[in-house]
Amino acid sequence: MHVIGTVGLPGSGKGEAATVAREEGIPVVTMGDVVRQETADRGLDPAKDHGTVAQALREENGPAAIAERSLPMIEDRLEDHEAVLVDGIRSGVEVDAFEARFGADFTLVSIEAPFDLRAERIDTRGRDASEDDGGEGLAARDERERGFGMDDAMERADVVVENTDSLEAFHDRIRAIIRDGKERVHNS
């Protein structure tokens, strides 16, 4: 069993890492999906209210609420797969939840890129409402993410990937981490 968690600010490349995992046959549990589902359940707009709902979940159920809601999803996938990628860890408290559950079988990967590059990527993907459309600007998103304790989570990473090269180079680096995890599973 191997659980790979990714942490990184918006636009750093977490979604691309998840794409590589899927290509490698590894299921992905996206912490954002937990929030998106809750946002829909509350009748709110996922494009605009995602951050508010993420904050509300943590306030209502404690700082590890989203991680705790994702554990059954991860365990379910581990029944049929030897590895799972958890996309979008936000805090040291969430890291604690995964380390407590999976111990040495948990690897935390911090994906990092400079602000300007991340801003460019977010504009290009067009998934998020821009500030002009009532969405949240990147600086505000960064600040909110950091408020959850993301810096603490990033500092605790087992592996740091600087995502500043080509997409292909980034995919190769993530693939190597995933394959290394597979090797660990087979050799233990």
Side-chain angles (χ1 to χ4, degrees):
M1 168 176 82
H2 188 214
V3 177
I4 302 163
T6 59
V7 61
L9 289 164
S12 59
K14 296 182 304 293
E16 286 296 330
T19 297
V20 173
R22 287 185 189 99
E23 288 170 356
E24 292 289 314
I26 292 177
V28 175
V29 171
T30 303
M31 302 221 5
D33 286 347
V34 173
V35 178
R36 276 183 274 282
Q37 182 61 54
E38 182 68 20
T39 305
D41 290 350
R42 293 181 184 207
L44 299 169
D45 178 356
K48 292 181 180 165
D49 298 315
H50 186 95
T52 312
V53 172
Q55 213 151 350
L57 274 170
R58 290 179 175 98
E59 284 166 10
E60 293 160 13
N61 305 296
I66 297 168
E68 286 163 0
R69 284 181 179 216
S70 71
L71 287 173
M73 298 160 79
I74 295 163
E75 289 166 348
D76 180 57
R77 284 155 183 84
L78 284 169
E79 287 178 18
D80 300 319
H81 299 85
E82 56 196 32
V84 172
L85 185 131
V86 182
D87 176 18
I89 292 169
R90 293 284 184 279
S91 71
V93 174
E94 292 179 346
V95 174
D96 291 341
F98 293 116
E99 286 180 345
R101 175 60 190 84
F102 302 111
D105 295 323
F106 178 70
T107 301
L108 183 63
V109 179
S110 180
I111 302 173
E112 302 177 10
F115 182 89
D116 292 345
L117 184 54
R118 293 186 297 109
E120 191 180 303
R121 289 175 182 156
I122 285 173
D123 283 346
T124 305
R125 75 185 182 192
R127 183 179 80 197
D128 308 283
S130 70
E131 277 181 279
D132 299 339
D133 297 326
E136 194 177 17
L138 184 58
R141 288 180 66 189
D142 281 2
E143 192 174 323
R144 178 170 49 82
E145 300 283 1
R146 290 194 154 110
F148 292 143
M150 185 172 287
D151 289 332
D152 175 37
M154 290 169 78
E155 284 167 16
R156 292 172 59 183
D158 301 298
V159 182
V160 175
V161 177
E162 291 288 342
N163 184 11
T164 53
D165 293 332
S166 69
L167 186 58
E168 186 181 12
F170 176 67
H171 280 198
D172 288 346
R173 180 84 174 92
I174 296 299
R175 204 170 280 114
I177 292 166
I178 289 168
R179 289 183 177 159
D180 177 54
K182 283 183 179 175
E183 298 293 313
R184 278 193 2 204
V185 171
H186 288 298
N187 294 333
S188 57

